[in-house]
Amino acid sequence: PLLAPVLVNRRLTSADHFQDVRHIEVDLGGSGMEAYAPGDLLTVLPRPPPGAVDAFLQRMGLSGDAVVQVEAASPPPGARVLTACGSLRAFAEGVLDVAGASPRRYFFQVLHHFVPPSADLEKERLEYFASAEGRDDLYRYNQREGRSM
């Protein structure tokens, strides 16, 4: 990952619009990515507010110093398999949204690839929440019960 300073963060939609669409410019100078052109993909992973990761780790009863390895449990045939290894704190700070957002369908769609083959019930439930058929139940699971990461 590249940590780049934000130069411009300007809202494009009006303040009363239901979506918050923004124009964001980052400084890629010295990164080797100066040839970035319109149409290229740039992923933005915002960092959680101070204290949110500590609160998450405490709530889950986990140590931020624990080393975790993340890899697909059953990748599709021919897929390039990436493995990530690091501290649980770094994973929570850089990848997870632990600041209170409810997980969306895509979260469950991705997560089901990391369930071991022996956990059929869990995998089935994750696939259901990721499907159009499970949309209403996912809403009830997240919103009405106030679930978050």
Side-chain angles (χ1 to χ4, degrees), residues 7-19:
L7 300 175
V8 176
N9 181 352
R10 181 176 63 244
R11 186 175 177 138
L12 297 176
T13 52
S14 64
D16 60 344
H17 193 267
F18 72 98
Q19 288 180 321

Side-chain angles (χ1 to χ4, degrees), residues 112 115 119-130:
H112 98 273
V115 176
D120 290 335
L121 181 61
E122 289 82 358
K123 187 169 189 135
E124 179 182 317
R125 193 65 176 167
L126 292 170
E127 289 172 342
Y128 175 69
F129 278 155

Side-chain angles (χ1 to χ4, degrees), residues 96-117:
L96 297 178
D97 181 1
V98 298
S102 296
R104 303 291 184 234
R105 284 176 45 193
Y106 182 70
F107 174 79
F108 294 96
Q109 183 181 6
V110 171
L111 190 60
H112 98 273
H113 291 290
F114 295 90
V115 176

Side-chain angles (χ1 to χ4, degrees), residues 21-90:
V21 178
R22 296 189 169 265
H23 171 86
I24 298 175
E25 296 179 19
V26 295
D27 181 4
L28 299 176
S31 69
M33 296 179 58
E34 289 83 5
Y36 182 80
D40 288 349
L41 179 66
L42 179 70
T43 301
V44 176
L45 299 173
R47 296 184 66 91
V53 171
D54 289 331
F56 167 75
L57 293 170
Q58 183 178 13
R59 184 171 61 242
M60 300 303 290
L62 300 169
S63 167
D65 297 327
V67 176
V68 294
Q69 180 172 323
V70 179
E71 60 185 27
S74 49
R80 183 172 157 220
V81 179
L82 300 176
T83 300
C85 187
S87 74
L88 186 54
R89 175 175 304 285

